[in-house]
Amino acid sequence: MCSWNLKDFGQSKTDEQLTFIANTIRNFDVVAIQEVVVGYGGPRAVIRLAEELNRNGAIWEYTFSHGTSSDRYSKERYAFIWKSRKLKKIGEAWLEKDYHLMIDREPYFARFKAGKKTFTLSSFHARPKSKQPETEIKYFKFLPDLYPDDLLIFCGDFNLPQSHTVFNPLRKMGYTSAMVKQKTSLKQRCINDDCLASEYDNFFYPEDKLRVTDAGIVPFYTDFLDLKEARRISDHVPVYLEFSLN
């Protein structure tokens, strides 16, 4: 699976940019997208991306959320897109209800079935670091008990490194981060070929229920001569998690 904060994902994305995005993610089975624009252009961009992916042979399905319950300046949507031959979505995807008042952009959940086994993805985009995302991420420790029958995988842009103490309660519950000390956001410009800024995007998963075979980033920015051009796609790189269900 892949998780990608696709900066202002809406009608401003050109056909050329959508083709590039599709080619970047086409080999994954399911993709969680953060920062989908609330207005009509956001859902339309998701549909356009799915249509572009479908031109490559595989059939992709999609779902997108309503706008999150945050104020109009930070309100966003989320989306999931997935290959129908690999995964089947179970029921409707949903925005977290119990903690939506405590979390600006409450996470978006979807249950998927792979063969005879199921897992649940929770996609999240935290408030900016300047607004102390730890004050909302602290509620994540309650989510596994809200969904005791689900194999939960948290993904997204947490605007904090996995080493932050706010993740300790999840760790005590058996969750681990897929990546350690892996920067995932882009600088304004590269310095001595160092183009990555902060450790923000990651996965947290129950270590005893998943057999993880690989995790990392897709350094899409290396396809551009100018980092400014790359940042028109996004100011974050995609992160991925390869796993099998125990």
Side-chain angles (χ1 to χ4, degrees):
M1 72 161 295
C2 170
S3 175
W4 199 355
N5 176 336
L6 269 173
K7 187 184 180 184
D8 297 330
F9 192 62
Q11 62 186 9
S12 64
K13 298 298 185 192
T14 65
D15 290 343
E16 183 181 6
Q17 289 170 334
L18 283 170
T19 298
F20 180 88
I21 292 167
N23 287 334
T24 303
I25 63 175
R26 60 186 291 185
N27 291 324
F28 298 109
D29 298 317
V30 57
V31 181
I33 300 172
Q34 299 92 38
E35 215 169 292
V36 177
V37 171
V38 170
Y40 170 78
R44 182 63 194 140
V46 175
I47 295 168
R48 288 165 63 207
L49 177 58
E51 290 172 344
E52 183 63 35
L53 284 162
N54 286 339
R55 293 189 185 100
N56 290 321
I59 303 301
W60 292 73
E61 297 182 62
Y62 60 85
T63 183
F64 45 79
S65 73
H66 296 295
T68 54
S69 57
S70 47
D71 64 48
R72 64 190 181 97
Y73 298 106
S74 57
K75 187 185 288 283
E76 294 172 6
R77 298 180 192 257
Y78 296 97
F80 291 114
I81 54 176
W82 66 93
K83 288 176 179 168
S84 58
R85 68 179 175 84
K86 286 292 194 81
L87 298 171
K88 180 180 179 181
K89 182 170 67 70
I90 302 170
E92 296 297 319
W94 72 97
L95 288 168
E96 170 54 41
K97 302 174 185 68
D98 286 32
Y99 293 94
H100 73 281
L101 296 178
M102 296 85 161
I103 301 173
D104 278 359
R105 293 180 287 241
E106 64 271 32
Y108 187 46
F109 293 78
R111 294 185 177 101
F112 292 96
K113 188 172 186 178
K116 295 182 178 180
K117 299 190 176 182
T118 63
F119 61 94
T120 303
L121 298 184
S122 173
S123 178
F124 178 57
H125 183 199
R127 65 179 62 152
K129 192 170 184 181
S130 61
K131 294 186 176 180
Q132 297 179 302
E134 60 270 24
T135 59
E136 58 180 3
I137 294 173
K138 68 182 182 182
Y139 293 103
F140 272 56
K141 65 187 177 185
F142 300 117
L143 297 180
D145 287 339
L146 268 186
Y147 307 102
D149 298 325
D150 288 75
L151 194 171
L152 279 178
I153 302 171
F154 299 106
C155 67
D157 172 10
F158 297 91
N159 276 317
L160 286 175
Q162 55 78 36
S163 57
H164 196 284
T165 56
V166 75
F167 296 112
N168 286 349
L170 278 178
R171 293 188 196 285
K172 289 177 181 177
M173 299 168 76
Y175 284 78
T176 189
S177 62
M179 296 177 292
V180 176
K181 295 183 178 179
Q182 174 61 65
K183 294 177 180 178
T184 62
S185 65
L186 293 183
K187 292 181 176 180
Q188 294 291 337
R189 66 178 191 276
C190 300
I191 301 172
N192 297 326
D193 292 328
D194 180 12
C195 305
L196 296 175
S198 301
E199 304 170 41
Y200 284 168
D201 305 82
N202 217 322
F203 301 89
F204 291 87
Y205 64 92
E207 203 167 11
D208 63 333
K209 295 179 181 176
L210 288 189
R211 185 169 65 85
V212 171
T213 50
D214 197 12
I217 68 168
V218 181
F220 78 92
Y221 58 89
T222 59
D223 290 343
F224 295 85
L225 294 175
D226 183 2
L227 201 62
K228 185 184 291 186
E229 287 298 314
R231 287 174 62 91
R232 289 195 174 100
I233 298 291
S234 182
D235 53 355
H236 290 250
V237 296
V239 294
Y240 68 87
L241 182 70
E242 184 179 290
F243 63 90
S244 59
L245 297 162
N246 291 341

